[in-house]
Amino acid sequence: MKNILITGGAGFIGSHVVRLFVNKYPDYKIINLDKLTYAGNLENLKDLESKPNYTFIKADICDSKTIDKVFKEYKIDSVIHLAAESHVDRSIKDPFSFAKTNVLGTLNLLQAAKNNWVEDVNKLFYHISTDEVYGSLNDSGFFTENTPYDPHSPYSASKAASDHFVRAFSNTYKLPIVISNCSNNYGPNQFPEKLIPLFINNICNNKPLPIYGKGENVRDWLYVEDHAKAIDTIFHKGKFGETYNVGGFNEWKNIDLIKVLIKTVDKLLGRKEGTSKKLISYVADRAGHDYRYAIDASKLKNELGWQPSLQFKEGIEKTAQWYLDNQDWVKNITTGDYQKYYQEMYKE
Ligand code: NAD
Ligand code: TYD
């Protein structure tokens, strides 16, 4: 029996983690707490609504009274903390909301855990973070758990700060914690502002594909369900106080990845191969654009036995098919308020 508070469970990665835990562990009570920002969507969890071990609470992790109440009422003994502002481009426009949710919100949850967990038997605060805290690599080398922190964007700075607070609570108050830092995720339910879903959607709708700079930046991509499985492994087998890097061993230059997306989506739509190449549009580079991220996930593989299971080609086909099959999902979240925000953000 466990009473697990999962924050940000209505978002992209969170929805896959909630689904995995609710279905795999019927004896655990899963409490999904989410503010439902533009990125949170209960459509992602419709199939779980009638499950007896699943509860949804709409709340802000910055609201200390509500968080404390939830800890008491649901006798929370574990936290898997995913709630965050997560998009680098937004963080460049509005760093304050990133500091608020990612730093103060995390601090608030840590404080609630510290105050409510009088004795720490069977307790765990599991913080989900990003490889972006390590900064940027040149053409060689990998991020390991010992790479010094060197965040470059307001997003990664806010995640780095939250990681430091989590470790500080472990050191100072002996809070039982574990942290994982993961590479770029892709798959169903990702808000279509990040590279892969945005481009799939734009190819479908014959809209330009805005490539920042020369498209030479490199990212290491992991299918979201593989990340959810890594979180399951680390939650159950990770050692207190440890950090685990999670990655796909799967590096792609943006421009090469975009060519794969064009090929895959054109094929699924029955278009002639390469039809959508004409949509490629080179635009101004992102400010402070990190060149390369690449994770060495061998600690997780060697110590806890996790490794990615899905091949990239298969993952991209599944993802593209999902977006084609779920055009209403995309339409519902990219109209109204979001549309206003999007126009505002990209007007210059
Ligand atoms: P997302 O933006 O899709 O979802 C974030 C969720 O958090 C949303 O449901 C949103 O409503 C909720 N949320 C935001 N602010 C909140 C608040 N103040 N209170 C309560 N809920 C709030 O993000 P994601 O891509 O699923 O990322 C989840 C976590 O994983 C984040 O912590 C992110 O830093 C980390 N991460 C993401 C990636 C990636 O590639 N997406 C990679 C590594 C780590
Ligand atoms: P993104 O999905 O925003 O993830 P992150 O910045 O956290 O790695 O971007 C992935 C890569 O794609 C990154 O190098 C920026 C680039 N990119 C574009 O070239 N065009 C776009 O429209 C977006 C959203 C991203």
Side-chain angles (χ1 to χ4, degrees):
M1 281 292 293
K2 281 187 187 302
N3 299 323
I4 309 177
L5 177 66
I6 301 187
T7 69
F12 166 47
I13 302 170
S15 59
H16 293 275
V17 175
V18 167
R19 175 167 299 100
L20 188 153
F21 273 72
V22 167
N23 289 333
K24 188 170 171 187
Y25 302 108
D27 288 346
Y28 294 178
K29 288 211 167 69
I30 305 301
I31 296 95
N32 171 16
L33 184 144
D34 197 297
K35 185 182 173 183
L36 299 181
T37 68
Y38 76 95
N41 185 352
L42 289 179
E43 283 288 309
N44 298 343
L45 297 163
K46 263 205 140 354
D47 53 314
L48 302 183
E49 273 166 11
S50 59
K51 298 270 180 178
N53 62 337
Y54 173 67
T55 305
F56 174 72
I57 298 170
K58 183 174 187 299
D60 187 336
I61 56 167
C62 298
D63 173 355
S64 52
K65 273 199 188 134
T66 302
I67 298 297
D68 191 62
K69 208 171 129 219
V70 168
F71 264 77
K72 291 191 165 59
E73 194 172 323
Y74 293 91
K75 299 188 170 49
I76 298 299
D77 51 42
S78 320
V79 176
I80 304 179
H81 174 37
L82 296 115
E85 288 293 339
S86 67
H87 188 40
V88 173
D89 292 326
R90 283 177 191 258
S91 80
I92 294 168
K93 293 267 172 187
D94 176 19
F96 283 95
S97 58
F98 283 69
K100 190 166 178 235
T101 289
N102 299 0
V103 186
L104 297 179
T106 300
L107 184 53
N108 206 26
L109 286 164
L110 287 165
Q111 193 72 6
K114 168 182 163 272
N115 291 343
N116 283 282
W117 294 348
V118 185
E119 37 112 295
D120 62 8
V121 185
N122 290 327
K123 307 283 195 299
L124 180 66
F125 191 104
Y126 179 4
H127 178 61
I128 308 299
S129 192
T130 166
D131 60 354
E132 303 190 23
V133 298
Y134 298 122
S136 180
L137 294 162
N138 294 321
D139 284 314
S140 60
F142 296 91
F143 297 135
T144 73
E145 289 79 2
N146 297 321
T147 303
Y149 273 36
D150 183 21
H152 292 164
S153 71
Y155 165 65
S156 54
S158 69
K159 292 298 290 187
S162 66
D163 294 9
H164 289 320
F165 268 111
V166 174
R167 292 198 182 94
F169 268 63
S170 162
N171 180 66
T172 310
Y173 309 111
K174 308 297 166 224
L175 196 76
I177 65 110
V178 69
I179 299 180
S180 58
N181 296 79
C182 188
S183 64
N184 288 60
N185 285 215
Y186 70 99
N189 300 352
Q190 187 169 32
F191 196 87
E193 63 183 352
K194 307 261 170 70
L195 180 74
I196 289 183
L198 177 73
F199 278 39
I200 293 174
N201 203 30
N202 286 8
I203 297 167
C204 288
N205 295 298
N206 280 309
K207 287 191 187 157
L209 306 174
I211 301 181
Y212 299 160
K214 293 184 180 153
E216 284 175 350
N217 304 64
V218 177
R219 297 291 183 265
D220 168 6
W221 294 95
L222 178 67
Y223 192 66
V224 63
E225 286 180 3
D226 273 329
H227 188 192
K229 286 179 195 160
I231 290 172
D232 180 16
T233 302
I234 294 165
F235 179 83
H236 288 99
K237 298 205 249 167
K239 287 204 198 98
F240 285 165
E242 290 288 316
T243 297
Y244 298 90
N245 279 356
V246 188
F249 302 101
N250 179 41
E251 288 180 55
W252 286 83
K253 238 182 225 295
N254 289 343
I255 186 65
D256 296 333
L257 168 59
I258 288 155
K259 286 178 187 159
V260 172
L261 289 176
I262 289 173
K263 197 171 168 190
T264 308
V265 178
D266 275 349
K267 193 170 162 208
L268 289 174
L269 290 171
R271 290 179 186 161
K272 205 170 139 235
E273 191 174 330
T275 307
S276 302
K277 273 194 186 151
K278 61 177 185 293
L279 300 174
I280 287 181
S281 156
Y282 289 92
V283 299
D285 208 352
R286 172 186 279 170
H289 197 171
D290 282 341
Y291 172 60
R292 174 171 168 259
Y293 304 142
I295 278 277
D296 176 353
S298 50
K299 174 176 173 184
L300 181 56
K301 186 176 171 200
N302 297 337
E303 294 185 12
L304 306 187
W306 174 91
Q307 58 183 336
S309 59
L310 202 69
Q311 291 296 313
F312 190 59
K313 189 171 171 286
E314 199 188 328
I316 285 293
E317 279 168 8
K318 271 177 86 162
T319 304
Q321 188 65 60
W322 187 87
Y323 281 92
L324 297 193
D325 292 343
N326 289 277
Q327 287 291 296
D328 283 348
W329 182 95
V330 175
K331 204 169 142 220
N332 290 344
I333 56 170
T334 51
T335 47
D337 283 352
Y338 174 71
Q339 189 67 18
K340 270 189 259 149
Y341 164 80
Y342 193 85
Q343 281 163 356
E344 183 64 21
M345 181 163 169
Y346 290 103
K347 70 183 171 204
E348 64 264 34

